[in-house]
Amino acid sequence: MTTTTLPAAQDRPRTYLVRTLGCQMNVHDSEHMAGLLEELGLVAARPEDAAAERADVIVINTCAVRENAADRLYGNLGRLARLKRENPGMQIAVGGCLAQKDRAGIVERAPWVDVVFGTHNIDALPVLLERARHNARAEVEIAESLQVFPSTLPTRRESVYAGWVSISVGCNNTCTFCIVPHLRGKERDRRPGEILAEVGALVDEGAIEVTLLGQNVNSYGVEFGDRQAFAKLLRAVGAVPGIERVRFTSPHPAAFTDDVIEAMAATPTVMPQLHMPLQSGSDRILRAMRRSYRSTKFLGILERVRAAMPHAAITTDIIVGFPGETEEDFEQTLRVVEESRFSSAFTFQYSPRPGTPAYELEPLPKAVVQERYERLVELQERISLEENQAQVGRTVEVLVAEGEGRKDGESRRVSGRAADNRLVHLALPARLAGLGAEGGADPRLAEALDPELPRPGDLVEVEVTYGAPHHLVADSALQGRTYRVRRTRAGDAWAQRERVKAGLAQEEHSHGPTAVPGVPVPLGLPVVRTALA
Ligand code: SF4
């Protein structure tokens, strides 16, 4: 029977675990939370302990976008209540968008929670944990506006070969279904120099891929009055020595300008991939959603992107069942999806969120929404399959990843992302199949590394041999066709980190500049900012 009690804390460093719910912004914020806890002297719980939620500090970084977001949080907290009864020294902290929204309500509903902090004061986590432990009572601290730009906080990155870099936080749009502006505030832009410095630091640590993050990256620069700032930033980040792949999320069709398409096409390291949220194909519904573009403009952008980058993969977000959506409106969504030929789509049933302008609107019957949702998924599945089947025979370069291929073990493949961000499962040469499967030392960490054995972070050139709705298969190595491994600094960085974990090497890692809690770090905005400092 696996024990759930933790050994006494005084005999070992305290451990932590950060659980992330929601979007990429939250994934990156969780990396800052982990960095802050490591700066406090805690260490990440081992994978087997994390799986059993055995840690001294457990942080849940919440999302508020979906209806079931609250169910997921309180479901998690219910399970942790028992663990905390068995480990009274354990601390539970709740952060992120639902914490920003529900505040002290979380402690009222789950009094075993020790700390509640918001989206604007991630930096307060260490102090609040210490204070809660010292005063033996829950600490709830929510800031109404950003205290410290998250990117200046210590960061424990999930991956060594690819990293997230925030370019802005918050959003100036007011989409009527969306709670984000309410919880993350107005858009705040980082100065380009700071972003380039962070990308440079990431590359120095071994990364070859970076994803620029913002709720609405296209309006980047609005705060310092430069409408072309995002296109310039793409070119500049793409020119950072050592960077091989630049991605970004999320753009907004209303602010998506041709200079961005030109920058993507002209900068070889900017990947031919675009995630462009459509939400609805009906102009009437787009107006009701307060999404200031119409289907013609949306399709026009896709046409110009494909003219400039014929192999670009385009994905999207679509909401079905927005209040007032008629069958004709929904037919428009199906029409735009058919014309857009998305390689994949995140499809959602409308979820009323308290605090959003659309919350008071009369919802559609669940059965109607469900039936439309199924029709949309069926259509997109067909298109995704056709678009992926069209990739068969193409030569692609795959950035080998960790944990992308659930079936890799039994399928004797490794997985990763092609330049267009499609998921590829690729076969190793037959002579390598099963290498390392018998346990023992990881052959990818061997001094005399087999030249055809890729490590996470390395790049492998292969030929696509099969297209499925949600992934590609490249078994060209087994068919005597294209298979070339290109070693990278990212693969070296991955191997070094794994050797440290395995006790085969010493750690050479820093968490970036030290942030002094409570002391505002200059956000790098033009002098107008002095008012805030
Ligand atoms: S652009 Fe709209 S959907 Fe996206 S974060 Fe802003 S308000 Fe929400």
Side-chain angles (χ1 to χ4, degrees), residues 170-175 177-181 215-216 252 279 291:
C171 183
N172 294 346
N173 291 313
T174 54
C175 305
F177 55 81
C178 183
I179 193 81
V180 169
Q215 300 289 355
N216 175 5
H252 193 295
Q279 304 301 7
R291 303 271 297 169

Side-chain angles (χ1 to χ4, degrees), residues 396-428:
V396 295
E397 191 174 49
V398 177
L399 173 54
V400 175
E402 270 181 303
E404 285 263 30
R406 276 177 299 106
K407 299 202 190 87
D408 281 356
E410 74 228 39
S411 69
R412 305 275 164 108
R413 294 192 178 98
V414 297
S415 299
R417 299 277 166 175
D420 62 9
N421 211 32
R422 279 184 165 92
L423 177 61
V424 183
H425 304 304
L426 62 94
L428 301 176

Side-chain angles (χ1 to χ4, degrees), residues 71-222:
D71 306 340
R72 291 181 69 194
L73 170 63
Y74 292 106
N76 269 299
L77 291 175
R79 213 182 37 260
L80 293 176
R82 179 179 58 74
L83 288 173
K84 182 152 184 192
R85 276 196 299 280
E86 291 158 7
N87 302 288
M90 171 196 263
Q91 288 190 292
I92 300 169
V94 177
C97 290
L98 201 59
Q100 184 76 22
K101 179 174 152 302
D102 289 0
R103 305 173 179 228
I106 291 176
V107 174
E108 281 149 29
R109 232 175 117 176
W112 54 92
V113 167
D114 301 279
V115 165
V116 177
F117 62 104
T119 53
H120 299 315
N121 63 335
I122 295 174
D123 61 297
L125 175 60
V127 172
L128 295 173
L129 283 169
E130 290 302 289
R131 210 186 293 158
R133 206 150 67 125
H134 182 270
N135 305 340
R137 71 157 196 270
E139 290 288 334
V140 177
E141 193 172 294
I142 302 292
E144 297 309 333
S145 66
L146 199 61
Q147 305 300 299
V148 169
F149 213 101
S151 299
T152 58
L153 298 175
T155 310
R156 166 51 86 176
R157 293 187 184 272
E158 279 286 312
S159 159
V160 285
Y161 48 82
W164 310 101
V165 171
S166 291
I167 68 170
S168 64
V169 290
C171 183
N172 294 346
N173 291 313
T174 54
C175 305
T176 54
F177 55 81
C178 183
I179 193 81
V180 169
H182 183 60
L183 299 176
R184 292 204 174 246
K186 286 283 180 207
E187 181 170 333
R188 312 284 294 278
D189 295 331
R190 289 180 78 190
R191 179 126 69 226
E194 279 200 26
I195 296 167
L196 290 171
E198 186 176 348
V199 172
L202 254 179
V203 170
D204 291 348
E205 289 193 2
I208 57 173
E209 176 171 310
V210 64
T211 300
L212 304 178
L213 277 182
Q215 300 289 355
N216 175 5
V217 293
N218 291 107
S219 59
Y220 172 74
V222 71

Side-chain angles (χ1 to χ4, degrees), residues 335-475:
R335 172 185 66 81
V336 174
V337 167
E338 185 71 65
E339 282 185 45
S340 300
R341 306 298 299 173
F342 299 117
S343 59
S344 73
F346 296 94
T347 51
F348 307 96
Q349 300 190 21
Y350 172 70
S351 175
R353 304 304 299 139
T356 61
Y359 185 62
E360 305 304 335
L361 300 176
E362 179 66 28
L364 294 179
K366 274 214 174 313
V368 171
V369 178
Q370 181 63 36
E371 188 273 338
R372 288 179 188 167
Y373 179 77
E374 286 163 11
R375 270 194 280 156
L376 173 65
V377 169
E378 190 189 338
L379 169 62
Q380 185 53 48
E381 285 282 299
R382 172 177 59 78
I383 294 170
S384 296
L385 176 60
E386 290 166 1
E387 291 295 310
N388 278 355
Q389 285 173 334
Q391 306 299 311
V392 173
R394 272 192 66 206
T395 296
V396 295
E397 191 174 49
V398 177
L399 173 54
V400 175
E402 270 181 303
E404 285 263 30
R406 276 177 299 106
K407 299 202 190 87
D408 281 356
E410 74 228 39
S411 69
R412 305 275 164 108
R413 294 192 178 98
V414 297
S415 299
R417 299 277 166 175
D420 62 9
N421 211 32
R422 279 184 165 92
L423 177 61
V424 183
H425 304 304
L426 62 94
L428 301 176
R431 65 182 187 80
L432 293 177
L435 197 65
E438 63 297 315
D442 185 334
R444 298 169 301 177
L445 305 183
E447 290 306 325
L449 180 60
D450 186 296
E452 291 196 313
L453 180 61
R455 306 158 302 179
D458 285 335
L459 290 155
V460 185
E461 199 169 271
V462 284
E463 186 187 319
V464 176
T465 52
Y466 176 75
H470 300 294
H471 66 265
L472 303 175
V473 172
D475 284 352

